[in-house]
Amino acid sequence: MGLRLFNTLTRSVEPFAPLDPAGRRVGMYCCGPTVYDFAHIGNWRTFVFADLVRRTLEFRGFIVNHVMNITDVEDKIIKRVKETGQPLREFTSRYESAFFEDLQTLNCLPPHLTPRATDHIPDILTLIGQLITRGVAYQAPDGSVYFSIEKYRGCGCTYGQLVRLNFDEMRTGERVKNDEYAKESLADFALWKARVPEDGDVFWPSPWGEGRPGWHIECSAMSMKALGPSFDLHLGGEDLAFPHHEDEIAQSEGAGVQPAGQRFVKHWLHGAHLLVEGRKMAKSLGNFFTLRDLLNQGFKGREVRHLLLSAHYRETFNFTLDGLHGARTALGRIDECVGKLRELAGPATAEPDPALVNRFTDALDDDLNISATWAAVFDWVRDTNRRLAESALSPQQAAAALAAWTCVDSVLGVGASAETGAPSDILALAEARAAAKKARDFAKADKLRDELKAQGWTVEDTPKGPKLKKVSP
Ligand code: AMP
Ligand code: ZN
């Protein structure tokens, strides 16, 4: 059947076909974090969703170029920079590093490119210049440069493709300078914001005077720089569809840089929100958990990842700690089954058992039907456990079952390590212990051994190197 995905642009599930005439290369852009604080796990739902899309595409044989920007200058950042009195880069770099650490903890594949907005000011200025030349942007009396929705629509372009807008209520020429604005304020939005005293040291020179870019133009400039003026996939959380993505389309297509007949983006994907008691998890509502909050409570990255991947990406769901405990139990069942298969398979190798892989692939192809993929996995666990209990599996069959699990886990990314069955955080502890021993810091090595023990793992030093073993409960 092939991969089918919902496209916000057409509001329908479509076969996924990249622009590449050979049908193999895929350009994918996901709006990245705004580095003014630690990302909360609502944000992480969207980034893990992007990772699922990337892994699915690779699983289906596409060669993906995955770009995720770092928004390191916008209204919220400027406000925080002013409050803390730190230089911009010093302030943002802390949250940027934390973002990459969390990305790893959640076992997300690192994007191939993570451009920062502040490293792309010349590209942003060029794009604004093109929009002015084409008559769809103008400098207002306040010195800022705005995108003119009226002029854009006058050129036969459509504003309001991802969401339906009510133009009857729009007053032409009304302007909005904030990066985030509500649907009611359908208005000309800022591309370049003239310097004001509150900006402190955060400004750059431009042909229109000193100032800083608006948030929306940053993504247009960086995505087209990295992937070309027309690319395959653009992702983000559902709150970004309007105005951020609508404005991205207007700016990118308004510059007229696409080849004839091609759109800025062929396929738009939006992930639904993570909720807390029915409301969006958001910093402004104070109802959020960061990943670090959950790690401090003893949860593992893979448990959080499992939870974030438990519902279809177009469905909201409520975050609860009970849900996380459920994720722990579910992963424990997989670990136990995979551990037994490893023991039985020993050194045997085999091709993946197609039964699990085929059912899993069909579910993924169906607009990333994650619930059906988990159903395939847990039916397989139940069936495999039964056959193990009946001693009905040969080492060869166990190896085929293991290979099937490895294959599906290349997409799910929640698995235990192939060697020992140890999850990545345990491996990290073991590696740190080995490094401490090598550095002859035996006190630290012993401390790490105790830490491993506390988490239910022993480490044996063998001639082939340290070996991890799970202590039976
Ligand atoms: P930000 O760092 O605020 O720019 O947000 C990063 C990403 O997280 C964006 O794609 C948002 O749409 C997304 N996001 C924000 N809140 C949530 C939430 N509660 N659930 C899922 N995604 C979210
Ligand atoms: Zn963006």
Side-chain angles (χ1 to χ4, degrees):
M1 253 306 233
L3 178 62
R4 280 161 295 125
L5 296 171
F6 185 84
N7 187 351
T8 315
L9 208 51
T10 59
R11 294 168 181 82
S12 59
V13 177
E14 295 174 354
F16 175 71
L19 292 163
D20 173 18
R24 296 211 59 205
R25 294 191 178 275
V26 175
M28 161 175 157
Y29 184 91
C30 179
C31 291
T34 305
V35 282
Y36 73 107
D37 207 338
F38 298 107
H40 59 65
I41 57 159
N43 301 130
W44 281 111
R45 180 178 188 199
T46 294
F47 301 131
V48 169
F49 155 57
D51 184 62
L52 174 71
V53 173
R54 148 115 179 244
R55 285 172 179 263
T56 298
L57 289 165
E58 291 179 347
F59 179 75
R60 298 303 271 129
F62 295 105
I63 302 164
V64 183
N65 189 3
H66 176 194
V67 180
M68 181 185 278
N69 73 295
I70 304 289
T71 302
D72 64 348
V73 54
E74 57 79 79
D75 296 348
K76 292 193 290 278
I77 296 179
I78 304 255
K79 192 164 166 269
R80 294 290 306 275
V81 162
K82 191 159 177 262
E83 283 162 10
T84 60
Q86 279 176 301
L88 180 71
R89 182 57 72 83
E90 199 178 299
F91 172 78
T92 57
S93 63
R94 171 165 181 228
Y95 299 112
E96 189 183 305
S97 310
F99 175 79
F100 285 110
E101 277 168 28
D102 291 358
L103 196 73
Q104 214 177 356
T105 305
L106 288 170
N107 199 20
C108 293
L109 298 175
H112 300 98
L113 206 66
T114 47
R116 288 189 195 109
T118 54
D119 292 334
H120 288 79
I121 301 292
D123 303 293
I124 293 168
L125 295 180
T126 304
L127 185 55
I128 296 174
Q130 284 167 323
L131 292 171
I132 292 178
T133 307
R134 285 178 59 93
V136 292
Y138 62 95
Q139 187 164 26
D142 68 357
S144 296
V145 179
Y146 290 87
F147 186 90
S148 166
I149 294 182
E150 194 193 6
K151 294 276 167 42
Y152 178 67
R153 294 181 76 211
C155 305
C157 296
T158 308
Y159 186 79
Q161 302 185 29
L162 296 171
V163 288
R164 295 180 212 285
L165 298 169
N166 186 352
F167 285 96
D168 295 341
E169 288 173 10
M170 179 190 167
R171 274 182 281 170
T172 45
E174 202 159 295
R175 288 187 281 269
V176 56
K177 201 172 170 190
N178 292 345
D179 284 330
E180 290 182 37
Y181 54 94
K183 277 196 192 0
E184 308 77 70
S185 12
L186 174 61
D188 293 358
F189 55 90
L191 302 171
W192 186 255
K193 303 184 186 195
R195 183 181 170 192
V196 290
E198 296 82 66
D199 291 345
D201 291 339
V202 184
F203 64 88
W204 289 262
S206 89
W208 314 285
E210 288 171 341
R212 62 185 172 97
W215 169 39
H216 315 300
I217 196 80
E218 295 174 6
C219 274
S220 282
M222 287 186 278
S223 62
M224 293 200 289
K225 174 93 185 284
L227 296 169
S230 198
F231 58 91
D232 298 296
L233 275 172
H234 197 313
L235 287 82
E238 61 185 347
D239 56 319
L240 298 194
F242 185 88
H244 185 56
H245 290 162
E246 201 65 56
D247 291 352
E248 273 192 53
I249 296 178
Q251 297 159 147
S252 308
E253 298 191 353
V257 287
Q258 285 72 30
Q262 279 190 18
R263 305 297 314 268
F264 163 49
V265 171
K266 192 170 177 199
H267 215 115
W268 288 87
L269 288 177
H270 289 99
H273 282 151
L274 183 67
L275 309 180
V276 180
E277 289 168 3
R279 298 176 80 192
K280 176 186 170 188
M281 181 179 284
K283 292 258 159 61
S284 55
L285 295 174
N287 61 353
F288 64 93
F289 285 93
T290 64
L291 181 60
R292 282 133 203 266
D293 294 334
L294 298 175
L295 299 181
N296 285 336
Q297 291 191 34
F299 292 104
K300 306 278 178 271
R302 63 196 290 253
E303 292 162 355
V304 179
R305 181 179 172 99
H306 181 276
L307 181 71
L308 294 179
L309 284 177
S310 59
H312 191 270
Y313 74 92
R314 285 195 283 124
E315 280 168 17
T316 52
F317 78 96
N318 270 306
F319 168 80
T320 58
L321 290 174
D322 273 354
L324 258 186
H325 285 289
R328 175 171 290 175
T329 309
L331 290 180
R333 286 180 58 207
I334 296 176
D335 290 350
E336 196 186 343
C337 176
V338 169
K340 284 186 199 152
L341 285 173
R342 282 199 183 114
E343 238 169 72
L344 177 58
T349 55
E351 286 298 307
D353 180 353
L356 171 62
V357 177
N358 290 345
R359 196 175 149 196
F360 179 85
T361 309
D362 286 348
L364 265 188
D365 277 356
D366 179 17
D367 192 28
L368 312 176
N369 187 344
I370 201 81
S371 322
T373 65
W374 289 120
V377 166
F378 285 104
D379 284 352
W380 170 82
V381 167
R382 196 178 319 114
D383 191 46
T384 307
N385 281 339
R386 186 180 45 76
R387 293 167 75 194
L388 283 164
E390 291 167 356
S391 303
L393 285 181
S394 67
Q396 197 67 23
Q397 285 170 319
L402 269 181
W405 165 248
T406 305
C407 188
V408 303
D409 192 48
S410 71
V411 178
L412 298 173
V414 293
S417 110
E419 268 293 295
T420 59
S424 54
D425 51 326
I426 296 296
L427 286 177
L429 278 178
E431 276 162 24
R433 177 184 167 269
K437 270 191 81 176
K438 206 166 165 200
R440 306 191 66 77
D441 185 350
F442 297 112
K444 186 171 175 193
D446 286 348
K447 206 165 152 257
L448 289 163
R449 177 197 283 272
D450 290 345
E451 213 165 303
L452 281 164
K453 203 166 159 202
Q455 303 217 30
W457 292 82
T458 59
V459 57
E460 265 171 44
D461 291 309
T462 72
K464 283 190 184 162
K467 261 210 144 97
L468 278 165
K469 254 193 163 172
K470 184 128 182 72
V471 189
S472 329

